[in-house]
Amino acid sequence: MNKQKSLIALAAIACLSACNPAREGMQKKDIRLITVAPGHFHAALVQKTMYPQVDSVVHVYAPDGSEVDAHLALIDQYNTQSDNPTSWEEKVYRGDDFLQKMLAEKEGNVVVLAGNNKHKIDYITQSITAGLNVLADKPVVIDAEGFAALKQAFTSASDKGVLLYDIMTERYEINTMLQKAFSQQSDFFGGLVTGTADNPAITKESVHHFFKEVSGKPLSRPAWFYDTKQQGEGIVDVTTHLVDLVQWESFPDQVINYEQDIQFVDAKRWPTQITPAQFERSTGLKEFPGFLSESVDGQGNLSVFANGEINYKLKDIHAKVSVIWNFEAPQGAGDLHYSIMRGRYANLIVQQGAEEQYKPMLYIESTGERDAKAFEEALAKAIEQLSSSYKGLKSEAVADGRYRISVDPSLITTHEEHFAQVTEKYLGFLQSGTIPEWEVPNMLAKYYLTTKALAEAQTVSAP
């Protein structure tokens, strides 16, 4: 009976996705943004461009301090940039009662959230209760308690006729898009193999850095970014993107039922050591604040559980996702990504290393199931079929049975540009009043897996 009730609940959520986020849709300029507690630079990246559907006046509610100052500085930078300057007008309220003030005034209808993840689900819940749509940076939740609240939030969103959506930028990286597209060419790819725990059908690995540049300037991190109780551990943070891509690429447009379609195998976590000098360089603070004292080791370094790995099965297909955080990338490098989808006839590999000048690149290699001539002919046919969707699509042999895939440079966009693409997709949902039926159930599936993996990994590594 309980299982039957759960399935009914999932069906209701799917109905919400297809039918209910904005019942009559929103017309041009009807969308007005509210930015709440912008503690992460992703909040500003949503406004790096203008949108014809969105009013230029944005209301900001935040506690006073350096975080809102940094956010407004980025908005000002975008307003004054020489290339396609924006024209946002920020109306700012500063105060400890920022959330209550926002809920009382409701100066807009879309709340943008990117900041302290500990409080994010509470902001989401209260915004939805007030009848506001929410566009939230990942991760939406960082533990099992948050996941339970997220399920209720989607139910409330259905009742209120509003839309909660998370910012999945990696769906818009062209090599990932091509990896997905080639995997769906069944005659060429041959479908995903089942794989094993030791040799999964899908592997996605991501390397990130605490110290980096954003919009051409060094990024200053808030001290809480290093507190996993506030930011979340790596296994529930960046892995959100990776789990999302596994679902989105492997089973496109399909509803994932997390109770039936996901089988957890195992997970692990480990820390990154941050020295006091690195912490000061990243945050500007000369000492670790008191809330980080429990994470300082005997050598005086900060241990941040920013790294993690999850092994699981999705619809009987073995998958592995892992994330690593280093302090800073080597000179000339940046965040890294590796992904492989293993099919019967071909492996689809995205690499982003020194050979690729630290820019992602898609390679296709033969599994040997076909002879060289047959594989080349199949690849040429797949490229021909996809060329109408991807301008300038072509392959170049780089080794026996291995090909590098490229497209017209106009299709290559940056990580910062992806935020506008996600936002435009979300605005389209709001305007049409519809969202694909798989989106909400698959968000639940994603956060079910990450929060369950965290709980399991913490149990395994507990002293």
Side-chain angles (χ1 to χ4, degrees):
M1 181 62 71
N2 288 338
K3 187 173 184 179
Q4 182 179 11
K5 288 181 179 178
S6 296
L7 293 175
I8 292 172
L10 280 170
I13 289 168
C15 181
L16 154 67
S17 304
C19 316
N20 206 26
R23 291 189 176 96
E24 297 180 359
M26 295 183 177
Q27 302 307 308
K28 190 173 182 179
K29 297 298 183 185
D30 278 350
I31 299 174
R32 304 183 310 281
L33 302 181
I34 304 171
T35 305
V36 173
H40 196 288
F41 67 91
H42 287 174
L45 288 178
V46 169
Q47 294 178 238
K48 197 175 181 182
T49 188
M50 302 296 293
Y51 311 94
Q53 314 96 312
V54 179
D55 195 292
S56 61
V57 176
V58 178
H59 288 262
V60 181
Y61 296 84
D64 194 16
S66 59
E67 293 179 19
V68 67
D69 289 342
H71 172 77
L72 295 173
L74 275 174
I75 301 300
D76 183 65
Q77 179 181 333
Y78 302 151
N79 279 345
T80 56
Q81 61 194 4
S82 58
D83 186 22
N84 296 320
T86 55
S87 55
W88 300 108
E89 181 183 351
E90 306 291 296
K91 294 187 177 295
V92 185
Y93 175 82
R94 300 170 184 255
D96 292 339
D97 61 341
F98 64 92
L99 184 64
Q100 292 76 14
K101 188 75 170 177
M102 183 276 288
L103 294 170
E105 294 183 345
K106 290 205 291 189
E107 292 286 357
N109 46 28
V110 175
V111 173
V112 176
L113 293 172
N116 191 309
N117 295 320
K118 178 181 179 180
H119 305 300
K120 189 178 291 179
I121 187 61
D122 180 51
Y123 299 163
I124 288 171
T125 298
Q126 294 200 50
S127 297
I128 288 172
T129 299
L132 299 170
N133 300 281
V134 178
L135 178 62
D137 191 33
K138 64 81 199 153
V140 170
V141 295
I142 60 174
D143 53 33
E145 182 180 0
F147 177 70
L150 180 63
K151 290 192 292 183
Q152 182 58 48
F154 277 121
T155 299
S156 297
S158 176
D159 294 339
K160 294 287 185 177
V162 296
L163 175 58
L164 165 60
Y165 197 64
D166 64 351
I167 299 175
M168 290 289 101
T169 51
E170 297 310 305
R171 295 183 187 180
Y172 298 86
E173 199 285 308
I174 185 60
N175 294 281
T176 298
M177 295 168 68
L178 290 170
Q179 187 182 44
K180 175 186 179 183
F182 276 103
S183 75
Q184 297 305 306
Q185 295 289 309
S186 57
D187 289 343
F188 166 69
F189 185 60
L192 281 165
V193 300
T194 301
T196 64
D198 294 331
N199 191 19
I202 310 162
T203 299
K204 291 186 178 293
E205 301 171 352
S206 188
V207 179
H208 291 257
H209 302 90
F210 287 104
F211 189 81
K212 61 170 65 176
E213 288 190 351
V214 175
S215 299
K217 295 183 178 180
L219 173 65
S220 178
R221 300 277 192 188
W224 58 256
F225 190 82
Y226 290 89
D227 181 5
T228 57
K229 294 179 181 178
Q230 299 185 68
Q231 172 63 21
E233 293 198 13
I235 204 169
V236 293
D237 185 7
V238 175
T239 52
T240 305
H241 280 305
L242 307 182
V243 173
D244 180 77
L245 291 181
V246 170
Q247 297 176 171
W248 182 74
E249 292 185 71
S250 305
F251 300 99
D253 305 330
Q254 295 184 40
V255 171
I256 305 296
N257 181 328
Y258 70 84
E259 293 182 310
Q260 294 184 345
D261 297 330
I262 294 177
Q263 181 180 340
F264 175 80
V265 177
D266 60 42
K268 60 182 179 180
R269 60 200 273 271
W270 63 99
T272 296
Q273 303 299 321
I274 303 296
T275 68
Q278 290 173 331
F279 186 79
E280 181 179 359
R281 187 177 174 208
S282 175
T283 66
L285 301 177
K286 295 183 179 298
E287 296 180 350
F288 297 126
F291 61 77
L292 290 174
S293 60
E294 293 182 359
S295 299
V296 178
D297 64 20
Q299 287 72 47
N301 297 323
L302 186 68
S303 294
V304 185
F305 275 90
N307 313 292
E309 177 181 296
I310 310 173
N311 292 280
Y312 64 106
K313 293 171 67 175
L314 177 63
K315 292 182 182 285
D316 296 324
I317 299 295
H318 282 271
K320 180 178 77 171
V321 299
S322 59
V323 60
I324 294 172
W325 278 80
N326 298 320
F327 178 72
E328 184 177 10
Q331 184 66 34
D335 292 346
L336 304 179
H337 180 70
Y338 172 81
S339 171
I340 182 169
M341 298 180 72
R342 298 172 51 234
R344 178 182 177 187
Y345 300 120
N347 294 328
L348 311 175
I349 305 165
V350 177
Q351 290 184 189
Q352 182 184 352
E355 184 179 344
E356 293 77 31
Q357 298 181 321
Y358 300 101
K359 297 179 180 179
M361 181 68 66
L362 175 65
Y363 298 91
I364 295 180
E365 63 182 24
S366 172
T367 63
E369 282 285 317
R370 286 173 166 148
D371 62 40
K373 181 180 179 181
F375 185 82
E376 281 203 355
E377 290 175 348
L379 175 59
K381 184 177 180 180
I383 289 175
E384 181 182 1
Q385 291 174 333
L386 294 173
S387 291
S388 60
S389 300
Y390 299 98
K391 180 181 177 182
L393 183 63
K394 61 183 180 180
S395 67
E396 174 190 3
V398 293
D400 289 345
R402 184 176 171 91
Y403 303 82
R404 181 167 51 232
I405 306 300
S406 60
V407 293
D408 189 90
S410 65
L411 299 183
I412 301 173
T413 53
T414 67
H415 176 64
E416 294 189 9
E417 291 172 318
H418 297 162
F419 282 84
Q421 294 174 283
V422 176
T423 303
E424 287 169 349
K425 175 71 73 173
Y426 176 72
L427 297 175
F429 295 154
L430 290 177
Q431 287 193 289
S432 68
T434 60
I435 179 174
E437 66 174 1
W438 52 269
E439 283 278 18
V440 172
N442 291 15
M443 278 189 272
L444 282 172
K446 173 173 57 188
Y447 290 109
Y448 161 78
L449 178 62
T450 57
T451 56
K452 180 178 177 59
L454 172 65
E456 295 290 339
Q458 287 177 330
T459 299
V460 170
S461 61

